[in-house]
Amino acid sequence: KDIGKLKSPCPTSISSQNLVEADLTNSRIALKMVNILKEDQSPLFADRLSAAIGGRYDPAMRRSVQTVVMYEANRMLQDQYDSLRPFQRKSILFETCKELLNSLEFIPEYLRAEILYRTVTSKIPLTPELVWRRMKVIDKEISKSILSAITPFLKEGKSHDDVCEDFIQHQYETLSGVQGKLHPTLWEYGHLNIFLAYRMYYKGDSIDTDLPPVDNSSTKEIEIPTERPEEPPSIHSIRRKSSKKRKQEPVVMLPEERMSLLNEVRLYLDVLADFKDVVPQGQLDQIKRESRLALSSINEIGFILSPSWVLQRHEGATSQGGTSEGYAKTQVSLNFLFGSFLLTFSFTKH
């Protein structure tokens, strides 16, 4: 049907040379479409993916291809999961994704390496844990963003490709606000990166039941780990551990510094007592609590005004007998606290 459309008559105003060039172009496109149709029926994942993206890979397709690679790897391993432990499932899924990528010879090798990055900018490879998590939400995302909105396009006699194209066009007009204009090439990969998985594995509003069988030959050579591998720590866990460690490290102060600090805290508390019935009691209690945090023990002081005011361990008094770093920071913190209180009171009064 589509090939017949390509042979439609050209306007009479076009020259003979242009007619020849148009026929040649149509012939090349028709031949390409025939090849794609053949690939579409192939059981090989590489052939089906090539057909789904039009026979040529573009870097804009990276996240979409990443999604279908994970989806296909999961299909290949469904029958093996029951006999594997959770960490083994994640490991073999990750390795299968890499094997599938190596089979995509129509994608240049230097671009294949980027497909399993978290982001192109960071160039940080995905971990087995993250691959597993992303794979688990593919069907949920398709159900939420596509199946719930594609029903109006499912009409009798309409092919799956026509449904996909109409849906993409509708989404383009909805998101861009431009009506009657054909969506740009590759638009779906930047705005609907999950849609390629729908195009390849769904038909209508459910998973396609006529999908070709998976080829498990490549998974037989993948070694299944017997011990749980050590996952590299995430940046969030590193920050949490570092923050916890800092909070547990007290500040060691000299005796005269401790006495000076005690006197300052007592002075601040006496001043606060003079503001009773003037400043709300809840605000006074909060300031008192923050002040008393400076008096955690007789020998050690750990004062925390906010996460950015965590005091570090004092390495010792200065060699010349001067004021220690811990005392100086604590004194600044108390002055900041008391100044903030007076400023708040000034605004409250006026």
Side-chain angles (χ1 to χ4, degrees), residues 132-145:
W132 179 265
R133 290 207 305 263
R134 289 190 177 184
M135 178 276 297
K136 296 295 285 185
V137 301
I138 293 174
D139 283 319
K140 294 180 182 179
E141 290 184 5
I142 291 176
S143 177
K144 180 181 178 181
S145 60

Side-chain angles (χ1 to χ4, degrees), residues 23-38:
D23 286 338
L24 288 174
T25 301
N26 288 341
S27 299
R28 294 191 188 100
I29 294 175
L31 181 60
K32 181 178 179 181
M33 291 180 64
V34 170
N35 291 334
I36 289 175
L37 289 173
K38 289 180 180 179

Side-chain angles (χ1 to χ4, degrees), residues 24-305:
L24 288 174
T25 301
N26 288 341
S27 299
R28 294 191 188 100
I29 294 175
L31 181 60
K32 181 178 179 181
M33 291 180 64
V34 170
N35 291 334
I36 289 175
L37 289 173
K38 289 180 180 179
E39 291 176 349
D40 195 35
Q41 305 301 322
S42 172
L44 297 179
F45 172 71
D47 291 340
R48 291 186 289 113
L49 176 58
S50 177
I53 64 175
R56 184 174 182 178
Y57 176 80
D58 187 276
M61 304 173 180
R62 186 193 72 86
R63 187 61 189 273
S64 297
V65 172
Q66 179 190 111
T67 298
V68 296
V69 166
M70 294 176 184
Y71 200 95
E72 181 71 10
N74 182 60
R75 288 183 67 225
M76 297 168 63
L77 300 170
Q78 285 288 347
D79 297 336
Q80 302 182 41
Y81 285 153
D82 291 341
S83 61
L84 299 176
R85 297 170 64 185
F87 76 87
Q88 292 174 325
R89 299 173 189 174
K90 297 170 185 177
S91 176
I92 194 173
L93 176 70
F94 181 67
E95 294 300 325
T96 304
C97 287
K98 294 197 293 186
E99 289 293 329
L100 284 174
L101 275 179
N102 291 334
S103 70
L104 305 180
E105 296 181 356
F106 66 93
I107 301 178
E109 187 175 354
Y110 72 95
L111 292 176
R112 259 183 277 163
E114 298 179 348
I115 291 178
L116 284 184
Y117 284 165
R118 298 188 185 189
T119 63
V120 176
T121 305
S122 69
K123 297 189 181 302
I124 299 176
L126 292 170
T127 62
E129 176 70 28
L130 191 51
V131 168
W132 179 265
R133 290 207 305 263
R134 289 190 177 184
M135 178 276 297
K136 296 295 285 185
V137 301
I138 293 174
D139 283 319
K140 294 180 182 179
E141 290 184 5
I142 291 176
S143 177
K144 180 181 178 181
S145 60
I146 298 176
L147 298 188
S148 59
I150 206 167
T151 303
F153 304 95
L154 303 177
K155 298 179 180 179
E156 188 176 354
K158 208 171 187 180
S159 69
H160 178 65
D161 287 338
D162 290 340
V163 171
C164 291
E165 290 303 318
D166 289 349
F167 180 79
I168 293 172
Q169 180 63 28
H170 174 75
Q171 291 295 307
Y172 167 70
E173 293 179 357
T174 301
L175 296 176
S176 67
V178 179
Q179 302 296 320
K181 181 182 178 181
L182 185 64
H183 66 82
T185 306
L186 307 179
W187 181 86
E188 65 182 277
Y189 299 104
H191 298 80
L192 299 169
N193 56 57
I194 197 71
F195 194 78
L196 182 61
Y198 172 84
R199 186 189 290 274
M200 292 183 62
Y201 296 102
Y202 281 71
K203 179 173 284 188
D205 56 0
S206 61
I207 295 177
D208 188 359
T209 57
D210 296 327
L211 290 172
V214 295
D215 179 15
N216 291 325
S217 58
S218 62
T219 62
K220 296 179 181 179
E221 301 178 359
I222 296 177
E223 183 178 353
I224 300 176
T226 57
E227 297 182 359
R228 184 189 299 274
E230 293 186 3
E231 290 281 347
S234 65
I235 185 63
H236 301 291
S237 63
I238 293 175
R239 288 174 178 172
R240 284 196 298 269
K241 290 180 182 178
S242 177
S243 176
K244 184 177 180 181
K245 183 178 180 181
R246 287 197 302 266
K247 290 180 181 180
Q248 293 175 345
E249 293 180 351
V251 177
V252 180
M253 304 179 68
L254 299 176
E256 57 271 20
E257 295 172 349
R258 292 200 300 272
M259 289 302 300
S260 177
L261 180 60
L262 288 172
N263 289 332
E264 287 189 53
V265 172
R266 184 176 62 182
L267 173 63
Y268 292 154
L269 294 178
D270 290 343
V271 173
L272 290 177
D274 296 336
F275 286 93
K276 188 176 182 181
D277 299 328
V278 178
V279 175
Q281 187 61 38
Q283 186 176 351
L284 289 176
D285 293 340
Q286 177 64 24
I287 297 176
K288 290 178 182 178
R289 282 192 296 270
E290 292 175 347
S291 299
R292 286 165 182 161
L293 285 175
L295 308 176
S296 58
S297 68
I298 295 297
N299 297 321
E300 296 177 344
I301 293 179
F303 179 74
I304 303 174
L305 180 60

Side-chain angles (χ1 to χ4, degrees), residues 303-321:
F303 179 74
I304 303 174
L305 180 60
S306 68
S308 61
W309 285 80
V310 180
L311 297 181
Q312 306 295 324
R313 177 186 293 275
H314 175 51
E315 300 297 340
T318 57
S319 58
Q320 303 299 326

